[in-house]
Amino acid sequence: MPATVIAVALPVPVRALFDYLPPEDSDTLPQPGTRVTVPFGTRSRVGVVIRIHASPPPARRLKAVTTVHDSEPMLDARLMKLLGWAAEYYAHPPGEVIQHALPALLRGGRSLADEPERLWQASAEPDTAARRRTGSRQAALLEFLGRHPDGIDERLLVRHGHAVATLRSLERRGRVHRRDAPPPVPVPPAIAPLAVALSPAQRAAVETVAAGGANGFGVYLVNGVTGSGKTEVYLELVRRTVAAGRQALLLVPEIGLTPQLIDRVRRGVGAGIVVMHSGLPDGERLAAWRSARDGSAGVVIGTRSAVWTPLPHAGLIVVDEEHDLSYKQREGFRYSARDVAVKRARDAGIPVILGSATPALETLHNVQSGRYAQVRLADRAQGSPPAVRIVDLRGRHMHGAFSDTLLDAMRRELAAGHQVLVFLNRRGYSPVLMCHACGAIETCLRCDAPLTFHHQQQKLLCHHCGSGRRPGAECRNCGAAPLLHVGHGTERLEETLRQQFPAARILRVDRDSTRARGAFDRMYRAITAGDADLLIGTQMLAKGHDFPNLSLVGIVDADRGLFSNDFRAGERLAQLFVQVSGRAGRDRTAGTVIVQTHFPQHPLIRALKGDAYGEMAQVLLEERRAAQLPPFTYWAVLRAEDYRVERPRQFLTEARRLLERAAPGLELSGPHPAPVERRADRLRWQLIVQAASRNALNRAMAPWTRALEALKSARAVRWSLDIDPLEVL
DNA sequence: AGCACGCCGACT
DNA sequence: GTCGGCGTGCTC
């Protein structure tokens, strides 16, 4: 007699589903997408039902589902299908994939309609007498609360082994207090949207997408330089989507960079808007998720993870700055939110917009092969494009990292009362500290990498593992002095510029100077308020910010990336060039970009002078085609690491043999050591898989990883598979 | 992942 | 003698 079997995805790193019998005390079967608690080994776990099937009498005796948590699916059929596709495409354990679509508060068995959270916070510091009366359990609880300044749910406290009684006694003495659960994200009532005045080019873009959207699925690259008004195009399309009673999903690279965008959507679209990103407290995240799921939110704005938000009435997806690397998750479940968004739109039969001034080469290739439509917004809505000057550094006398040409131009712009941005993507003072006597350089003890000297902290820091040490006065190798600083970082630029421009108000904006909470916002406001003249920035300052008074951008070192091992370095360089150049000359001021290089004849540098990105991209695509690199071939990287070299090498060798046998058509390379082989004392190796077709790659990957799980050598290493890797490192 | 089982070293 | 190190295997 065939048994009814329930296949459940559980949050364990196993590429399989687990079969259970229906719950004993119920005659209704839990449908796919509902959460169930099941016995698992010695414990029990909450998972999601994937499917129900009739099975021949199973080989082993199955256990039964313990509890069904949802009377109707928490995740609808369409989303379940997308998650299933993603698990297969990225060859990742299905249970871990599904976790990404559930807010943390729903990953346990808690019901959507459950009582609200009871959040607790530590109260202000007590006097010493009170502190003396604190018992050890109380101290532990207080310490735990201290780590959760925004408050933490009572149930979570209990789950971490704290007693409610301890909490109550602390409450009686005023050491802790209840914090009201955050109100559900208010969904503002519909207001009459502001009419948006569109330029003819913008209107044409809107009509193109709208006309195509009527036919269902389509991918539209909205390609326009910074300042060409892509946002207005998105807004109008979002507005129309909402007016038609459907939902729009707007993905952005980083929520911190887009307060203005959120504000404009809020004012420009008369509909409930929710924001979803990983920094949201669990309660707020749940509330936002819930209003997307029940349809009360017309617009969801969010980062990478928001691509998994339930949208019962999805009508449009927008991926802003689609080339941005932050759409690719870099650990664990290594999905690309941009690619998932395209798949999701295809499944739902709706249009998806990819917006960028500097599209990924993959996207441009899809346009050129006719898979994606392109809508160009060629003109800047206001202002004119910056003039580009290439400065040949060969043989030139330098002031630190600066040529006279760049310094003179800076002097002129500063005298005219304009702002100047000096761009260098390297923080710290100097990337290498070298002995003048023997040539030895200071390297990290745990990584195969030189240490960067940081002047402010007076420390040598490793940019790979984060460790640091105080530099000695003499060489560790030969004992001689002095040690020389080789190369320039942003701190050193600042030093040079303070000498050159003693009167200028100089602001350095990099990860070090913005570490303090709110520091970036403060600096950003200082810049827009005109309280700084000379800005020194890493890529932090290159992205999407609007500085109306900025007239000159100096690219200090264009040469890094021209000859990198990473074949994508050129693409990144081109994107960065154009993004950072876009900071110059908006609104009132005509801008100039000065590029310092030792390779003025390099095709990438030459292409900067024209329609910068279009030409550079064409050069790069031709290189990729000639070398049979992505997007002309399809890649995956299997990485492994351990403290003992032979282990990753052994595992990858076995993995290679397995794949050679199962899929002889694929081209394999490796195992190779990663470019920085040793990182935090772990030795990292990799195996590159290359396929002539998407299909060939994909058919092989999921079965391969299932076989890898069974290898004994796999248990001895940390390993991961990266499909469509963005860095082969 | 998390947990149990099992087989070897240094400690109350 | 046993506590505990982590290598190994398994979870329906």
Side-chain angles (χ1 to χ4, degrees), chain A residues 18-156:
Chain A
F18 293 85
D19 287 336
Y20 289 89
L21 298 171
E24 278 146 11
D25 57 352
S26 164
D27 41 4
T28 54
L29 291 171
Q31 291 307 297
T34 58
R35 296 167 306 152
V36 290
T37 291
V38 296
F40 189 67
T42 53
R43 324 172 46 205
S44 73
R45 320 226 51 178
V46 177
V48 174
V49 175
I50 300 298
R51 60 172 170 265
I52 297 168
H53 56 274
S55 144
R60 63 151 108 203
R61 204 160 59 249
L62 298 182
K63 297 179 178 176
V65 167
T66 317
T67 319
V68 178
H69 297 286
D70 308 312
S71 53
E72 58 183 78
M74 191 56 79
L75 302 167
D76 64 56
R78 203 169 245 165
L79 196 46
M80 290 296 289
K81 184 175 164 232
L82 183 72
L83 291 160
W85 167 83
E88 196 67 12
Y89 183 95
Y90 291 105
H92 202 71
E96 291 191 348
V97 169
I98 281 207
Q99 296 288 302
H100 288 257
L102 286 174
L105 290 176
L106 295 179
R107 287 178 202 157
R110 159 180 180 358
S111 129
L112 253 191
D114 241 356
E115 53 179 319
E117 289 181 277
R118 282 194 301 275
L119 296 174
W120 292 88
Q121 285 174 311
S123 302
E125 274 296 290
D127 53 55
T128 41
R131 203 177 298 166
R132 228 175 296 126
R133 279 182 273 113
T134 309
S136 68
R137 283 186 195 170
Q138 297 179 349
L141 203 158
L142 286 168
E143 197 264 333
F144 191 74
L145 285 175
R147 279 185 272 132
H148 300 272
D150 295 327
I152 187 161
D153 186 67
E154 190 170 306
R155 281 160 296 206
L156 220 56

Side-chain angles (χ1 to χ4, degrees), chain A residues 200-432:
Chain A
Q202 289 168 335
R203 184 152 297 282
V206 167
E207 297 307 335
T208 303
V209 179
N215 303 324
F217 171 68
V219 187
Y220 302 86
L221 169 63
V222 174
N223 184 351
V225 300
T226 323
S228 64
K230 293 188 291 291
T231 310
E232 286 74 16
V233 174
Y234 308 154
L235 279 184
E236 175 62 14
L237 285 161
V238 167
R239 196 188 61 74
R240 291 186 185 194
T241 303
V242 170
R246 310 190 69 178
Q247 293 171 295
L249 172 64
L250 176 51
L251 297 180
V252 295
E254 280 166 68
I255 218 76
L257 297 179
T258 45
Q260 308 99 315
L261 178 64
I262 295 168
D263 198 49
R264 287 175 73 185
V265 177
R266 218 160 241 154
R267 281 181 295 133
V269 182
I273 289 164
V274 293
V275 176
M276 299 268 278
H277 59 94
S278 55
L280 229 48
D282 288 346
E284 288 175 33
R285 201 177 161 80
L286 175 62
W289 186 87
R290 184 195 282 152
S291 50
R293 180 175 176 271
D294 69 21
S296 58
V299 185
V300 174
I301 305 179
T303 48
R304 180 175 66 225
S305 58
V307 77
W308 308 110
T309 311
L311 297 165
H313 313 300
L316 173 72
I317 302 178
V318 179
V319 184
D320 191 24
E321 306 294 354
E322 62 87 27
H323 64 281
D324 198 288
L325 297 184
S326 49
Y327 286 122
K328 182 88 167 37
Q329 179 133 13
R330 288 141 150 300
E331 55 196 13
F333 175 29
R334 297 167 184 263
Y335 65 97
S336 157
R338 182 242 281 145
D339 297 347
V340 173
V342 170
K343 172 64 176 168
R344 189 169 183 181
R346 182 191 300 274
D347 288 351
I350 60 173
V352 55
I353 294 174
L354 308 181
S356 179
T358 54
L361 295 188
E362 279 79 0
T363 302
L364 285 177
H365 181 241
N366 278 325
V367 168
Q368 287 168 12
S369 63
R371 282 190 287 270
Y372 294 180
Q374 176 166 230
V375 182
R376 277 188 166 277
L377 291 172
D379 307 322
R380 285 192 165 206
Q382 65 248 37
S384 49
V388 177
R389 278 176 68 186
I390 310 291
V391 178
D392 182 355
L393 293 183
R394 287 176 297 179
R396 302 253 321 227
H397 173 68
M398 302 292 284
H399 306 270
F402 297 91
S403 61
D404 284 322
T405 313
L406 178 51
L407 288 176
D408 290 345
M410 290 170 69
R411 202 160 282 126
R412 270 197 306 279
E413 294 305 323
L414 290 173
H418 296 151
Q419 285 172 318
V420 172
L421 167 62
V422 165
F423 176 82
L424 178 67
N425 216 358
R426 191 195 288 132
R427 63 196 175 88
Y429 185 85
S430 65
V432 174

Side-chain angles (χ1 to χ4, degrees), chain A residues 360-693:
Chain A
L361 295 188
E362 279 79 0
T363 302
L364 285 177
H365 181 241
N366 278 325
V367 168
Q368 287 168 12
S369 63
R371 282 190 287 270
Y372 294 180
Q374 176 166 230
V375 182
R376 277 188 166 277
L377 291 172
D379 307 322
R380 285 192 165 206
Q382 65 248 37
S384 49
V388 177
R389 278 176 68 186
I390 310 291
V391 178
D392 182 355
L393 293 183
R394 287 176 297 179
R396 302 253 321 227
H397 173 68
M398 302 292 284
H399 306 270
F402 297 91
S403 61
D404 284 322
T405 313
L406 178 51
L407 288 176
D408 290 345
M410 290 170 69
R411 202 160 282 126
R412 270 197 306 279
E413 294 305 323
L414 290 173
H418 296 151
Q419 285 172 318
V420 172
L421 167 62
V422 165
F423 176 82
L424 178 67
N425 216 358
R426 191 195 288 132
R427 63 196 175 88
Y429 185 85
S430 65
V432 174
L433 196 56
M434 186 185 73
C435 172
H436 192 42
C438 75
I441 62 174
E442 292 278 357
T443 55
C444 179
L445 299 176
R446 310 173 61 213
C447 308
D448 297 326
L451 292 166
T452 300
F453 180 66
H454 284 246
H455 193 266
Q456 211 161 355
Q457 293 189 55
Q458 282 295 307
K459 261 188 173 171
L460 287 161
L461 294 181
C462 177
H463 286 187
H464 293 272
C465 74
S467 70
R469 63 165 183 258
R470 297 219 159 253
E474 310 89 22
C475 174
R476 295 161 67 87
N477 180 44
C478 72
L483 299 175
L484 302 181
H485 292 286
V486 182
H488 298 259
T490 47
E491 280 186 338
R492 198 171 187 185
L493 297 192
E494 183 178 2
E495 180 185 83
T496 308
L497 293 177
R498 287 202 187 279
Q499 286 161 10
Q500 293 285 335
F501 304 100
R505 293 165 300 172
I506 299 179
L507 196 58
R508 174 168 57 85
V509 184
D510 56 27
R511 192 135 57 86
D512 300 312
S513 70
T514 56
R515 186 148 298 157
R517 212 179 139 86
F520 183 83
D521 283 342
R522 263 201 311 285
M523 292 192 190
Y524 181 77
R525 263 177 282 141
I527 298 168
T528 48
D531 293 337
D533 309 310
L534 216 173
L535 319 174
I536 300 165
T538 56
Q539 58 185 342
M540 284 188 104
L541 222 48
K543 285 186 185 177
H545 305 291
D546 200 352
F547 303 128
N549 196 35
L550 188 69
S551 63
L552 171 66
V553 170
I555 295 175
V556 175
D557 180 7
D559 297 343
R560 288 211 312 156
L562 288 180
F563 305 99
S564 166
N565 292 325
D566 183 350
F567 68 82
R568 269 177 236 266
E571 176 183 3
R572 298 226 194 89
L573 185 69
Q575 287 164 345
L576 210 50
F577 272 155
V578 176
Q579 298 282 341
V580 77
S581 305
R583 304 309 112 219
R586 309 194 45 161
D587 296 352
R588 290 163 279 145
T589 340
T592 307
V593 179
I594 293 184
V595 181
Q596 299 194 133
T597 179
H598 288 91
F599 305 95
Q601 297 307 312
H602 192 286
L604 264 190
I605 298 290
R606 291 167 58 125
L608 270 173
K609 300 271 299 189
D611 155 33
Y613 192 72
E615 285 181 31
M616 292 169 96
Q618 222 37 60
V619 169
L620 291 164
L621 270 172
E622 281 317 312
E623 281 177 17
R624 299 266 189 101
R625 185 198 302 278
Q628 284 299 293
L629 293 167
F632 299 95
T633 51
Y634 303 86
W635 286 35
V637 180
L638 182 65
R639 304 190 178 90
E641 59 181 51
D642 191 64
Y643 298 101
R644 291 149 287 202
V645 222
E646 64 280 5
R647 294 186 173 205
R649 209 194 290 139
Q650 173 69 20
F651 166 68
L652 292 174
T653 305
E654 287 176 30
R656 177 179 175 136
R657 272 200 286 271
L658 280 178
L659 192 56
E660 271 167 349
R661 254 204 264 156
L666 302 179
E667 202 174 305
L668 305 182
S669 134
H672 304 297
V676 179
E677 183 184 356
R678 191 170 52 107
R679 184 166 177 167
D681 279 334
R682 287 205 183 85
L683 297 149
R684 309 179 307 150
W685 284 62
Q686 57 190 17
L687 176 69
I688 296 169
V689 184
Q690 200 175 336
S693 78

